[in-house]
Amino acid sequence: MTQKYALLDTDFISKTHQIRKDDENKMIDRIMEMQGYRFYCHEQIKIELARHNMGNVSEWLNAKILEGTIHCASDKEIMDELHTIYSDSAEAMYANMLRNGCEAYRKGYFEENFKRLQELDYLTISKESFLQELETDCCEIGAGKNLGELKSYVLLQVLSTKLGEQIYVFCSDDKNARNGIVSLGGARCISILTAFMRLSKDGNLSKKDAEPYIQAYLDECRKHKQIAFKVHDASKQMRMCKVPCEQVIEEMYAGKLEVLQNGNLRYKK
């Protein structure tokens, strides 16, 4: 079986931890059981989940990291990898990857927030000093500024460079976030909705066995007054149409829909 590499973001972990059959069976647990996947997250995701820790999701993540189911990468580990690949250019490469991630998120974010990194001489600074300056910038940026997303973008670029393989990003339903991931090159997005298709294909979870999770997910949608999903039609123009949530689920399992690189669904021709 070909190894697949998957990156988990804060929103995906948090929401699929809430979608559950019962206290012992969460949707994220079924994701972890999928065959042939190597799961990663950035250390910043761990920090963000610990900050809010709704429904003990932080304890869940820590347990998965300890047992080796999820590999949690720190900035130090990323820098070590970059030094192996790029030698003395590693600091410049990290800064460039972070800049790329910021641009994918919002134009001008890097210039506004990473003041110290911009002033460094990347060719002379030590790895330790670079990491210290990076940490200082991040501390000043503070909570609630999408640092987890940005650090995940860096990790995504490192994994793509190191592995040269298809990377899957299990991410939020936010359209801009998913487009940002695609813009960094090569990754395929899997939203919470399309994760059900992955569970059917790679997790051997039949529609019948998935039903409690599907209903829990639809209940969450109703709580937020969401009664339809946006789906591309089969035309060349790929027009977006709103389709009732239950209908989309049925049509996914009936094989009428395909998943695009950005995680959107499209009707097959």
Side-chain angles (χ1 to χ4, degrees):
M1 182 183 288
T2 306
Q3 181 78 60
K4 297 185 179 82
Y5 300 92
L7 195 55
L8 298 161
D9 82 358
T10 307
D11 200 48
F12 187 90
I13 295 172
S14 179
K15 287 181 177 174
T16 52
H17 186 268
Q18 292 169 32
I19 297 166
R20 55 183 68 187
K21 178 180 177 180
D22 51 47
D23 285 345
E24 302 301 316
N25 291 279
K26 306 164 189 72
M27 183 178 176
I28 190 68
D29 290 321
R30 303 292 79 79
I31 299 286
M32 292 295 104
E33 291 165 358
M34 293 197 307
Q35 294 298 304
Y37 282 83
R38 180 80 173 96
F39 290 99
Y40 291 82
C41 76
H42 191 282
E43 191 175 43
Q44 189 67 34
I45 303 296
K46 183 178 165 183
I47 293 166
E48 290 182 358
L49 286 174
R51 193 177 290 137
H52 304 292
N53 200 22
M54 293 170 60
N56 299 322
V57 64
S58 182
E59 284 87 344
W60 178 91
L61 179 59
N62 288 335
K64 293 300 172 189
I65 292 167
L66 278 172
E67 70 185 36
T69 309
I70 298 173
H71 183 91
C72 182
S74 64
D75 283 319
K76 181 184 181 303
E77 184 182 335
I78 287 172
M79 284 303 304
D80 290 342
E81 287 285 356
L82 290 176
H83 268 278
T84 302
I85 302 167
Y86 296 107
S87 188
D88 293 342
S89 301
E91 286 73 24
M93 286 307 301
Y94 186 105
N96 189 53
M97 288 175 171
L98 181 59
R99 188 189 296 271
N100 290 342
C102 290
E103 285 293 303
Y105 170 65
R106 178 170 60 77
K107 201 165 184 63
Y109 188 101
F110 183 83
E111 289 74 16
E112 290 167 25
N113 293 284
F114 290 96
K115 304 287 189 187
R116 283 176 174 77
L117 286 199
Q118 292 172 72
E119 294 169 2
L120 302 179
D121 181 346
Y122 299 129
L123 292 176
T124 59
I125 194 167
S126 69
K127 178 172 63 178
E128 291 72 22
S129 296
F130 178 87
L131 287 167
Q132 202 167 16
E133 295 296 314
L134 172 63
E135 187 178 354
T136 304
D137 267 345
C138 291
C139 287
E140 288 185 3
I141 291 168
K145 296 289 181 69
N146 292 83
L147 266 179
E149 196 173 310
L150 297 173
K151 294 290 186 76
S152 293
Y153 285 171
V154 174
L155 179 55
L156 169 58
Q157 293 171 82
V158 173
L159 290 174
S160 296
T161 302
K162 180 188 173 188
L163 303 167
E165 298 281 344
Q166 176 74 73
I167 312 290
Y168 297 87
V169 183
F170 287 78
C171 54
S172 74
D173 292 322
D174 180 77
K175 182 182 73 175
N176 293 333
R178 288 192 274 125
N179 287 338
I181 289 162
V182 172
S183 75
L184 292 169
R188 293 195 72 86
C189 299
I190 300 172
S191 67
I192 294 166
L193 174 59
T194 59
F196 283 105
M197 294 172 79
R198 282 277 150 191
L199 284 170
S200 177
K201 181 183 174 186
D202 296 333
N204 297 317
L205 195 71
S206 68
K207 184 173 185 293
K208 182 184 175 185
D209 290 338
E211 198 62 43
Y213 303 100
I214 292 169
Q215 291 309 315
Y217 176 52
L218 291 173
D219 286 346
E220 282 297 315
C221 291
R222 289 185 200 104
K223 276 185 201 172
H224 296 93
K225 305 287 191 287
Q226 184 174 0
I227 58 170
F229 296 123
K230 289 181 179 177
V231 181
H232 292 284
D233 67 15
S235 70
K236 279 185 180 178
Q237 293 77 24
M238 291 176 56
R239 288 180 292 264
M240 274 287 196
C241 44
K242 287 187 177 181
V243 184
C245 295
E246 291 82 355
Q247 182 182 331
V248 173
I249 298 283
E250 291 299 323
E251 290 176 332
M252 277 195 330
Y253 281 96
K256 294 180 180 179
L257 296 162
E258 61 184 349
V259 185
L260 303 178
Q261 187 179 350
N262 65 359
N264 286 354
L265 286 166
R266 181 187 186 184
Y267 280 102
K268 292 179 181 176
K269 293 178 181 175

